[in-house]
Amino acid sequence: MSDVITTTVIVATIASGIRLATPFLLASLGEAIGQRSGVLNLGVDGVMLLGAFASYYVVLETESIWLGVMTGILTGLLMGLFYAIITVPLRAEQGVSGIGIYLFGLGMSDLLFQKLVGTPLPIDQFSEWHVPLLSDIPVVGEMFFQHTPMVYIAFLLVPIIAFIINRTTFGLSIRAVGESPESADSLGVSVPKVRFATIMAGNALAGLAGAALAIELGIFQQNLTNAMGFIAIALVYFGAWRAPGVMAGSLVFGMVGAIVLQAKTLGLIPRSASDIAAMAPAVITILALIIVANRFRQPAALTKPYVRGD
Amino acid sequence: MNSVSASIQSDRQPMLEMRGITKRFPGVIANDNVSFDVLPGEVHTLLGENGAGKSTLMKILYGLYQPDEGDVLINGEKVSLQSPSDAIDHRIGMIHQHFMLVSSLTVAENVALGLSSTRGPITDLKQVAKKIKSLSDRYGLHVDPDAYIWQLAVGERQRVEIIKALYRDVQLLVLDEPTAVLTPQEVDDFFVILREMTSDGRGLIFISHKMNEVMELSDRISVLRLGRLVGTTTPQETTREALAQMMVGREVDNTREERPATIGRTALSINRLSVGGDRGVDALIDFSLDVQQGEIVGLAGVSGNGQRELAEAISGLRPIKSGSISLFHDGNPKPIGGLGPKAVREAGLSFVPEERMRDGAIGEFSVADNMVLHNHHSTRFSRGGFLNFGEIHRHSQKLVDDFQVKTPSIDTPAKNLSGGNIQKMIIARELDSDPEVLIAAQPTRGVDIGAAEYIHARLVAARNAGTAILVISEDLDEVMLLADRIAVICQGRMMGVVDRIDASREQLGLMMAGVTD
Ligand SMILES: Nc1ncnc2c1ncn2[C@@H]1O[C@H](COP(=O)(O)OP(=O)(O)OP(=O)(O)O)[C@@H](O)[C@H]1O
Ligand SMILES: [Mg+2]
């Protein structure tokens, strides 16, 4: 058995794990930003689906992948604006509104797909971009530095977002608003403005995650994400609301997925067990969640609308 | 010459005028046509019972509430204060009755929040910490800029609030019961800071229930009663008794009847207790103390010397490292250390926590629900898992009446009550459960003199009925008034226990400072 697991296989599996982790990472980074400011968004999956369809459609029509990526982000921003309006000034209950967004995204993306496209046609995909020099390093280069641009973008966002949250005045406002909006308000920090910004940014990332997925697969179909957005929400808890933690969670998830795929290809998993194997990433995430749970406290104001003077 | 006439000029013009302010809430008129002003360099005190409308008036000034009627003028010009940032723009600062601090952030981060940075979008916490240090050196406000707020005792948190205001260099500062959480020594230091601020021409609005402080600090005193301005006077023209009568509408007498304690058996025994602290150092070291049935033991000490951790350890909220805590039933010890709050309550202990808003009440719940928070599963209030609303209402109404908790109704959410009335609500609940042992942390912090008198009387009545009571208080006057025996804590160690008859302020003060003889 050990003779099938060669270095080549291991390298390929790790590279594919990183690739699989990318949409999760983008979506969960976005969710983490929102939650740090006290806003829960259960609609990530719906926004991902809309972003995926929009970018798929634009690439199909224009054959410009980057235009597709931009459209994914723009779709996320639009959905974010909508979600921000209903949850911040209108103070709608966040749990229910998020589920509404999800259902809307699920239905609308399929409807648009049926009306505008009908039969699934493949679109252009990003080609790999080899990082100069680094990609030539044996083994390591192949694992980490021979990916599509979306992978680099997602992983570069981790330190950027960590920096914004931890080192900037805006990040300080985000953390304060998520923990104690009344204290932030009493110092002149506008709670609605901060939450609008984080919701918009978070949804833009969800839209981008959808675009990354559709372009990676080169295809769109009904419910393309298959609940990836919900897993992204779980990964935020797994990652304790911190960008590096969220990245670790996404990688675990992507790796387990890649290992299962690879094992299947190599015939290491009997056909009868393949359904069970497909559940492995979810089961592992849940186990990890149980272990991590309670080590870290969620933002104290999470899901709580803020009303001045209360 | 020029500057003299300018200063006379500015003496005449109030820096703040509030004219005919009216504010209504469902069921109450919190402010009823109130007019109020502040001159540069003066301390203008607002006095009034719990629920008189002091905080409401100040929240209007700070842009947190909009008045239904009336105008606010700053330096003679009418202003619109729609939000705290408008108030901040007019150099108004406010130290709130409940702390406005983000507990998961550091001191420096709390101070920097909402300010622009010298490094553009990037925080300049080192710079902020430096300036905090210089402010704290200059005003004697010791805090560690890198400490997290959750690690700080109440007194230290208050210093952070003051630093926040000093850092912003406010011209008009509202202090809503700032001394409620300070020790007598801290109050003295604090007043020095305030005087320094007024000598710079800043105006202060001071709210306190402590008459001696009001008489000492104020230039003018305005009294609110049931939302209306009763009158404005000066310390020279009035007396404490007259002020109390203006506030309450009757004479107040807060002296204790002299009746020796009829001591029973030991009810609570703390033996060589050590407890970890939030900052790495142990908060309690080898601490021993017994409390007998029918006595009040007062634990005196400067804020932050382990009192909070002791109360948490006894009430089951904090794990213990070594030693034991026991309650006694018929002479048999029952160790309660580390059992958790529910089991400790069931063992016969009641607890009035220091941070009542955080640990003692649920703001979203009604007053009635808060009144049965800890015993809603008792057979009296529930049957077969269903709450008996009739009984809960009768019981809560009685407690509200007995303890004069001012609330439009017992269905009002607790968060809408004034600060002092939330305190009264929790104390009513805890005293009423007829405990064998009662731990009361800062029992009269923030309550008005009428209510303090009543709470003291209830504590003494419980003691006379045989309850063993431990009063943890940073108010030495309160300890000396209430306690049969006085224990002193310093840096987590027991400094000694003295009978009240033998105790002097000087001796206790030395013990509080850690001086042993
Ligand atoms: N947000 C609110 N909603 C409804 N009622 C309120 C609200 N805020 C205050 N009140 C009511 O207004 C009245 C005045 O409250 P306020 O907090 O101004 O009293 P206070 O003088 O500051 O009392 P304390 O000394 O106890 O702090 C009280 O009856 C209180 O219940
Ligand atoms: Mg008040």
Side-chain angles (χ1 to χ4, degrees):
Chain A
M1 193 163 126
S2 64
D3 52 330
V4 291
I5 303 174
T6 58
T7 315
T8 327
V9 169
I10 292 173
V11 168
T13 309
I14 290 177
S16 122
I18 290 173
R19 201 156 23 83
L20 289 180
T22 299
F24 290 111
L25 179 55
L26 288 168
S28 51
L29 282 174
E31 178 73 15
I33 295 173
Q35 290 201 11
R36 279 311 274 276
S37 75
V39 183
L40 172 74
N41 179 9
L42 291 181
V44 190
D45 205 54
V47 179
M48 280 178 78
L49 281 167
L50 284 170
F53 172 75
S55 59
Y56 167 81
Y57 185 63
V58 166
V59 178
L60 190 68
E61 294 295 317
T62 67
E63 291 182 10
S64 161
I65 302 180
W66 284 111
L67 208 58
V69 170
M70 298 315 281
T71 315
I73 295 174
L74 210 68
T75 309
L77 283 173
L78 269 176
M79 293 305 292
L81 184 64
F82 180 63
Y83 189 65
I85 289 171
I86 59 174
T87 53
V88 181
L90 302 181
R91 298 198 289 269
E93 209 281 318
Q94 292 173 10
V96 175
S97 321
I99 291 171
I101 296 266
Y102 164 64
L103 292 174
F104 173 78
L106 179 67
M108 192 51 125
S109 60
D110 187 41
L111 180 76
L112 291 173
F113 177 68
Q114 300 300 346
K115 284 262 179 286
L116 298 175
V117 186
T119 41
L121 301 165
I123 53 166
D124 293 347
Q125 285 156 281
F126 271 123
S127 46
E128 282 169 7
W129 181 67
H130 292 207
V131 180
L133 300 178
L134 292 174
S135 59
D136 299 333
I137 307 170
V139 183
V140 173
E142 211 178 311
M143 281 194 284
F144 299 117
F145 300 109
Q146 302 185 5
H147 285 289
T148 60
M150 292 314 293
V151 175
Y152 303 122
I153 290 174
F155 282 85
L156 272 178
L157 278 172
V158 174
I160 293 174
I161 287 171
F163 184 85
I164 292 174
I165 298 273
N166 296 316
R167 293 267 182 279
T168 66
T169 53
F170 183 60
L172 182 60
S173 297
I174 294 176
R175 286 181 283 147
V177 164
E179 287 290 335
S180 175
E182 53 286 337
S183 303
D185 187 27
S186 78
L187 292 178
V189 174
S190 165
V191 177
K193 268 188 205 154
V194 169
R195 288 192 170 164
F196 254 83
T198 57
I199 293 171
M200 299 283 280
N203 279 272
L205 285 174
L208 179 62
L213 183 69
I215 292 167
E216 171 71 32
L217 298 172
I219 202 75
F220 186 86
Q221 64 182 44
Q222 190 209 7
N223 194 17
L224 180 78
T225 53
N226 200 12
M228 286 171 82
F230 290 98
I231 290 160
I233 296 170
L235 291 174
V236 172
Y237 289 80
F238 176 99
W241 296 270
R242 282 151 185 82
V246 160
M247 178 179 81
S250 306
L251 279 173
V252 169
F253 209 82
M255 287 302 164
V256 176
I259 291 168
V260 171
L261 271 179
Q262 189 66 257
K264 262 199 229 168
T265 330
L266 296 174
L268 296 178
I269 299 176
R271 188 170 286 275
S272 57
S274 71
D275 282 350
I276 295 173
M279 279 160 49
V283 172
I284 287 174
T285 310
I286 291 168
L287 288 179
L289 262 181
I290 293 168
I291 297 166
V292 175
N294 299 329
R295 293 273 167 84
F296 296 93
R297 210 175 35 79
Q298 66 179 28
L302 188 60
T303 76
K304 297 198 185 104
Y306 175 66
V307 196
R308 176 176 292 158
D310 242 22
Chain B
M1 182 71 210
N2 224 339
S3 73
V4 170
S5 68
S7 86
I8 290 169
Q9 192 66 35
S10 72
D11 272 351
R12 283 211 197 98
Q13 169 151 85
M15 57 198 304
L16 167 74
E17 268 180 277
M18 298 181 85
R19 288 188 189 155
I21 302 285
T22 296
K23 177 72 184 173
R24 298 181 193 90
F25 290 115
V28 264
I29 303 181
N31 290 151
D32 188 358
N33 194 20
V34 176
S35 293
F36 178 81
D37 63 10
V38 179
L39 302 171
E42 84 162 339
V43 178
H44 194 159
T45 293
L46 263 181
L47 206 56
E49 283 184 286
N50 294 135
K54 307 179 293 293
S55 295
T56 302
L57 189 67
M58 292 303 105
K59 285 180 180 170
I60 289 170
L61 173 59
Y62 201 60
L64 287 163
Y65 291 149
Q66 300 308 308
D68 296 321
E69 285 158 42
D71 296 318
V72 180
L73 289 83
I74 305 277
N75 297 326
E77 267 171 56
K78 206 162 130 180
V79 295
S80 153
L81 302 165
Q82 297 293 323
S83 72
S85 56
D86 290 343
I88 292 167
D89 287 346
H90 287 100
R91 311 292 293 274
I92 300 170
M94 178 154 174
I95 295 184
H96 295 259
Q97 191 166 3
H98 304 294
F99 292 127
M100 287 292 181
L101 295 168
V102 187
S103 58
S104 61
L105 300 183
T106 65
V107 170
E109 286 175 324
N110 270 279
V111 171
L113 186 59
L115 293 175
S116 54
S117 160
T118 52
R119 295 167 65 202
I122 299 167
T123 50
D124 52 352
L125 294 176
K126 286 221 179 78
Q127 202 79 21
V128 174
K130 224 188 261 166
K131 200 168 156 196
I132 292 175
K133 275 244 155 66
S134 78
L135 280 174
S136 62
D137 287 348
R138 176 161 160 227
Y139 291 98
L141 290 157
H142 180 71
V143 286
D144 171 8
D146 297 323
Y148 285 92
I149 300 298
W150 58 266
Q151 299 174 315
L152 303 183
V154 178
E156 296 168 293
R157 291 181 197 199
Q158 183 60 280
R159 275 175 246 154
V160 180
E161 289 283 23
I162 297 160
I163 286 174
K164 267 163 61 180
L166 288 172
Y167 198 101
R168 284 164 176 74
D169 196 19
V170 298
Q171 287 307 305
L172 178 65
L173 181 61
V174 179
L175 300 136
D176 195 348
E177 300 191 33
T179 57
V181 295
L182 301 183
T183 59
Q185 291 95 322
E186 285 176 316
V187 169
D188 291 343
D189 297 342
F190 183 56
F191 282 5
V192 173
I193 299 164
L194 297 187
R195 294 234 171 72
E196 198 144 326
M197 291 181 77
T198 52
S199 68
D200 300 344
R202 291 179 236 248
L204 302 182
I205 302 172
F206 182 64
I207 299 177
S208 171
H209 291 293
K210 297 181 185 169
M211 286 300 179
N212 51 344
E213 295 176 2
V214 170
M215 295 296 281
E216 182 187 336
L217 188 70
S218 313
D219 295 305
R220 284 191 294 161
I221 303 167
S222 287
V223 180
L224 283 181
R225 193 163 136 66
L226 301 171
R228 275 197 213 106
L229 186 71
V230 184
T232 300
T233 177
T234 65
Q236 294 74 37
E237 292 165 20
T238 189
T239 62
R240 291 177 198 204
E241 291 70 30
L243 283 174
Q245 198 151 2
M246 259 171 110
M247 274 170 65
V248 185
R250 68 176 165 87
E251 266 183 65
V252 179
D253 166 35
N254 200 358
T255 51
R256 179 184 158 162
E257 54 155 338
E258 276 307 329
R259 191 183 131 183
T262 36
I263 308 265
R265 296 186 192 165
T266 299
L268 167 72
S269 175
I270 301 162
N271 195 11
R272 312 203 61 175
L273 182 69
S274 291
V275 166
D278 293 332
R279 274 163 292 181
V281 249
D282 282 356
L284 286 179
I285 302 152
D286 223 10
F287 184 93
S288 299
L289 178 66
D290 284 355
V291 184
Q292 272 97 34
Q293 294 172 334
E295 73 165 344
I296 298 178
V297 173
L299 184 67
V302 177
S303 156
N305 272 278
Q307 295 98 318
R308 179 166 63 95
E309 291 83 356
L310 176 67
E312 287 176 357
I314 299 174
S315 57
L317 292 167
R318 181 176 284 266
I320 64 178
K321 271 194 169 168
S322 63
S324 67
I325 307 170
S326 308
L327 294 182
F328 288 81
H329 290 291
D330 309 319
N332 303 319
K334 177 177 169 41
I336 55 166
L339 279 189
K342 185 157 180 269
V344 169
R345 276 185 182 279
E346 280 163 6
L349 184 124
S350 271
F351 178 48
V352 178
E354 174 179 354
E355 276 219 30
R356 289 174 259 260
M357 275 304 274
R358 194 190 68 196
D359 301 328
I362 300 181
E364 318 290 324
F365 283 18
S366 69
V367 172
D369 289 343
N370 271 289
M371 284 294 195
V372 297
L373 209 52
H374 296 299
N375 49 3
H376 58 265
H377 45 261
S378 80
T379 48
R380 178 165 174 205
F381 300 121
S382 69
R383 219 148 272 153
F386 292 98
L387 292 174
N388 179 349
F389 288 107
E391 186 56 30
I392 290 176
H393 269 229
R394 259 193 302 282
H395 175 72
S396 308
Q397 191 61 54
K398 180 171 176 303
L399 288 183
V400 163
D401 295 343
D402 284 358
F403 284 80
Q404 296 145 35
V405 180
K406 212 165 284 165
T407 172
S409 90
I410 56 172
D411 298 317
T412 304
K415 65 180 181 195
N416 288 352
L417 266 55
S418 81
N421 281 301
I422 293 173
Q423 319 266 43
K424 285 200 252 176
M425 176 186 81
I426 293 165
I427 283 166
R429 178 183 75 208
E430 297 298 323
L431 272 178
D432 179 73
S433 65
D434 212 357
E436 289 168 40
V437 177
L438 174 72
I439 312 295
Q442 326 296 348
T444 56
R445 174 182 291 170
V447 306
D448 64 50
I449 46 170
E453 174 197 13
Y454 184 70
I455 289 167
H456 285 163
R458 288 296 300 242
L459 286 171
V460 171
R463 157 218 191 238
N464 292 344
T467 302
I469 301 175
L470 177 62
V471 172
I472 302 173
S473 177
E474 288 151 12
D475 181 348
L476 198 52
D477 294 328
E478 173 166 68
V479 171
M480 293 194 67
L481 178 75
L482 275 182
D484 299 301
R485 292 191 297 144
I486 300 171
V488 179
I489 190 172
C490 179
Q491 296 192 344
R493 291 176 204 273
M494 167 60 80
M495 302 306 295
V497 185
V498 287
D499 283 345
R500 178 170 52 111
I501 318 289
D502 308 329
S504 70
R505 287 186 69 93
E506 292 67 36
Q507 181 199 3
L508 293 172
L510 284 175
M511 288 165 80
M512 284 163 74
V515 181
T516 43
D517 41 25

